[in-house]
Amino acid sequence: MTIEQSIKQQEQALETPLKPPSLLDALFPTLTLIALLSLSVYLFGDDSSYGSNQIVLIISALVAAIVGMKNGLSWNQLESAMHQGIAIALGAILILLAVGMLIGSWILSGTVPTMIYYGLQLLDPGWFYAASCLMCAMVSVCIGSSWTTAGTVGIGLMGIAAGFGLSPEITAGAIISGAYFGDKLSPLSETTNLAPAVTGVELFDHIRHLSWTTIPSFIIAMSAFIWLGMGEQVASGGGEMDAMIAVLDQQFNVSGWLLLPLLAVLLLAWLRVPALASILIGALLGALMALLLQRDNVVAFAAAPELALGLQLFKGIWTSFYDGYQATTGNEVIDKLLSRGGMSSMLNTVWLILCAMVFGAVMERTGLLARLIRGVLGMVNSTGSLIVATIGTCIGTNVVAADQYISIILPGRMFKVEFARRGLSPLNLSRTIEDGGTITSPLIPWNTCGAYMAGTLGVATLAYLPYAFFNLLGPLVAIIYGYCNIKIARIEQTETPELMNGEDLRPSV
């Protein structure tokens, strides 16, 4: 989906119903969502994202729909909005399923085991967290995709962390921190292009202004990862790591050639080949490498000696695509680490995204989300409070609408006139919606980004959240800048002639 198409869909979704909603109307489904999610976490704990949260989102969507019908919308209109909301998420869902294929074929081919094998010998556990963050940042800047970075390099780093006996939660936080740093500053990133498009600023002006909050946040995050890594030692004095290296060497034909699928995906991403196509090609390359270098493993995995050799190979590859890989090495750590992947492994995440998008779509179509934002504007009385309101709205939209693109588009449109009315350059708005929208999206379990990262890295969103330092620091640094008037760009009066008569052009919802 292009940026223009995305904006147009959001504009259509935000058409006001026959009767404008009240603040109480907007708060009712939102408070229902918060209350039921709290109860879900209390009753089911970490398992709440495996079905319970989905029910909460559907019930909350029903409550919002009832409010919409009270205000004059028909059920057919609301159902149409649900369909549009799901359609927006289809791209993310297809990428998720493709990543499931990629993980399965890359494990079967030996690509992931090779990444782990070399990483265990080259990386130092004391610097591992910081090195993981920096590595993902460099890759993400080059290719402009946090999802691709986490789904390729991130998978290997999670395996290396297991070999060292390091925390998977901290490792996931480091991977996500680095991936989203690159996603924010890369001119190849969709969100980095979307934010200036919505606010009407030039791309590279946006990146330069964005760097003032992004780089300090990253430096602090790197310092935290260095501190956490100090004193880390290889698990069991190195014996477990040596055992893992030996098992990997015995079970797979480890070779530098097996890194070609990884390099191919990164190259395709850098060339701006669409993510879905890049990942599917990567999965197919993994299957090709499996046939060339891991034929015995493919035959053993197929477990169908009654079939001809060609059919056994075909079945093994096919199974890795849809159901992932099941390791039976006898090493508990290796078996747990490499038994994953396949489209089927992503189905719960897809379920969560579908339910979240239904709720978000109903909130938008009924005008309830826009009404909440209008209520926030009434509390703005300074530049600092305006930035707080914008960031809070972006985070709230990530929670309610469950999509990072909506968290950029909607606040960008709703706050644009208010920033201009106060003589603030739209560069401040484009930076703020990235600080509040883009990087907080992976911190919400049912957001498309949070669900993707949890499903890809194998760590629950709320488990890695405390260690996603860059994502947590970005909004705080932006707020500090706002209240301390640091790098707040102003505009000349001649740039906003439509405001010179003193008319308040804030949108009426």
Side-chain angles (χ1 to χ4, degrees):
M1 180 188 301
T2 66
I3 291 172
E4 291 77 11
Q5 289 172 330
S6 183
I7 294 174
K8 184 177 180 181
Q9 285 189 354
Q10 297 311 316
E11 288 175 342
Q12 292 173 346
L14 284 169
E15 294 174 357
T16 54
L18 297 179
K19 179 183 177 182
S22 67
L23 183 58
L24 182 61
D25 286 340
L27 287 174
F28 189 44
T30 305
L31 294 176
T32 300
L33 175 72
I34 294 171
L36 291 179
L37 284 174
S38 300
L39 181 61
S40 173
V41 173
Y42 176 76
L43 292 176
F44 298 99
D46 292 340
D47 293 330
S48 60
S49 61
Y50 290 93
S52 175
N53 288 348
Q54 287 88 326
I55 300 301
V56 170
L57 289 162
I58 291 298
I59 292 174
S60 300
L62 181 60
V63 171
I66 292 171
V67 174
M69 288 189 287
K70 175 184 77 71
N71 290 336
L73 287 170
S74 69
W75 176 257
N76 287 338
Q77 289 175 305
L78 292 167
E79 190 171 345
S80 176
M82 296 178 197
H83 296 166
Q84 290 180 12
I86 291 173
I88 293 172
L90 285 179
I93 289 171
L94 290 174
I95 290 174
L96 270 172
L97 295 175
V99 167
M101 285 181 60
L102 180 142
I103 294 173
S105 73
W106 279 20
I107 295 176
L108 179 63
S109 69
T111 296
V112 171
T114 295
M115 293 166 66
I116 297 171
Y117 180 87
Y118 288 136
L120 288 173
Q121 299 178 73
L122 296 176
L123 292 174
D124 185 288
W127 297 95
F128 178 76
Y129 299 137
S132 297
C133 183
L134 182 60
M135 186 183 304
C136 288
M138 295 171 61
V139 171
S140 191
V141 166
C142 293
I143 67 175
S145 173
S146 55
W147 283 32
T148 303
T149 301
T152 53
V153 178
I155 295 170
L157 291 171
M158 291 299 298
I160 296 168
F164 283 140
L166 300 177
S167 166
E169 295 82 7
I170 299 177
T171 303
I175 292 167
I176 292 167
S177 292
Y180 274 86
F181 169 83
D183 197 306
K184 278 186 72 177
L185 291 187
S186 174
L188 305 179
S189 167
E190 291 182 356
T191 55
T192 305
N193 281 271
L194 180 59
V198 170
T199 56
V201 301
E202 199 273 329
L203 172 61
F204 287 100
D205 288 342
H206 165 70
I207 292 175
R208 281 190 289 269
H209 200 60
L210 183 62
S211 66
W212 286 100
T213 54
T214 302
I215 293 176
S217 300
F218 185 72
I219 292 173
I220 298 171
M222 282 289 292
S223 300
F225 289 124
I226 291 172
W227 180 77
L228 286 173
M230 292 175 62
E232 289 282 10
Q233 300 295 326
V234 177
S236 305
E240 184 174 342
M241 185 193 73
D242 292 339
M244 287 184 64
I245 291 174
V247 169
L248 290 171
D249 193 31
Q250 180 181 3
Q251 296 292 322
F252 296 92
N253 294 319
V254 176
S255 167
W257 291 106
L258 291 169
L259 299 178
L260 285 178
L262 169 64
L263 297 176
V265 171
L266 297 181
L267 176 62
L268 290 171
W270 182 74
L271 293 174
R272 301 305 303 272
V273 175
L276 178 60
S278 300
I279 292 171
L280 285 173
I281 291 171
L284 293 174
L285 287 175
L288 177 61
M289 300 306 290
L291 293 175
L292 293 176
L293 297 177
Q294 311 291 346
R295 181 169 298 190
D296 291 343
N297 280 350
V298 176
V299 170
F301 180 59
E306 71 281 2
L307 297 176
L309 177 61
L311 291 176
Q312 291 184 60
L313 294 171
F314 189 71
K315 181 182 178 182
I317 297 294
W318 196 338
T319 303
S320 73
F321 281 158
Y322 81 83
D323 205 31
Y325 183 79
Q326 295 297 317
T328 55
T329 65
N331 183 297
E332 184 178 351
V333 177
I334 289 288
D335 289 347
K336 182 178 180 181
L337 180 63
L338 298 184
S339 297
R340 51 186 311 216
M343 284 188 173
S344 62
S345 69
M346 297 295 180
L347 294 180
N348 184 72
T349 303
V350 170
W351 179 20
L352 183 62
I353 290 173
L354 290 175
C355 295
M357 295 307 293
V358 166
F359 174 67
V362 174
M363 287 291 289
E364 286 183 83
R365 183 63 186 89
T366 54
L368 300 179
L369 189 54
R371 182 62 186 88
L372 288 173
I373 293 176
R374 188 183 176 198
V376 170
L377 275 173
M379 298 182 288
V380 171
N381 53 27
S382 67
T383 299
S385 62
L386 178 59
I387 289 177
V388 169
T390 306
I391 287 177
T393 301
C394 292
I395 295 173
T397 306
N398 264 325
V399 171
V400 175
D403 183 80
Q404 68 171 345
Y405 297 108
I406 299 176
S407 75
I408 292 173
I409 294 168
L410 188 59
R413 291 176 54 228
M414 298 299 293
F415 284 95
K416 185 174 182 179
V417 172
E418 184 65 19
F419 270 73
R421 194 177 72 86
R422 294 173 179 271
L424 299 173
S425 169
L427 284 169
N428 301 299
L429 177 58
S430 66
R431 180 176 74 186
T432 303
I433 58 179
E434 285 245 64
D435 288 331
T438 301
I439 63 175
T440 62
S441 57
L443 306 181
I444 313 300
W446 53 90
N447 188 283
T448 52
C449 296
Y452 174 87
M453 292 299 167
T456 299
L457 301 178
V459 179
T461 307
L462 296 181
Y464 68 64
L465 185 152
Y467 305 104
F469 297 128
F470 173 75
N471 306 70
L472 295 170
L473 285 166
L476 296 177
V477 172
I479 290 170
I480 292 171
Y481 277 32
Y483 277 109
C484 296
N485 199 30
I486 301 172
K487 302 305 294 184
I488 301 297
R490 304 283 173 175
I491 54 177
E492 299 293 333
Q493 191 176 32
T494 55
E495 293 182 59
T496 55
E498 71 278 10
L499 301 178
M500 291 178 65
N501 59 5
E503 181 182 0
D504 187 352
L505 298 180
R506 284 177 290 182
S508 176
V509 179

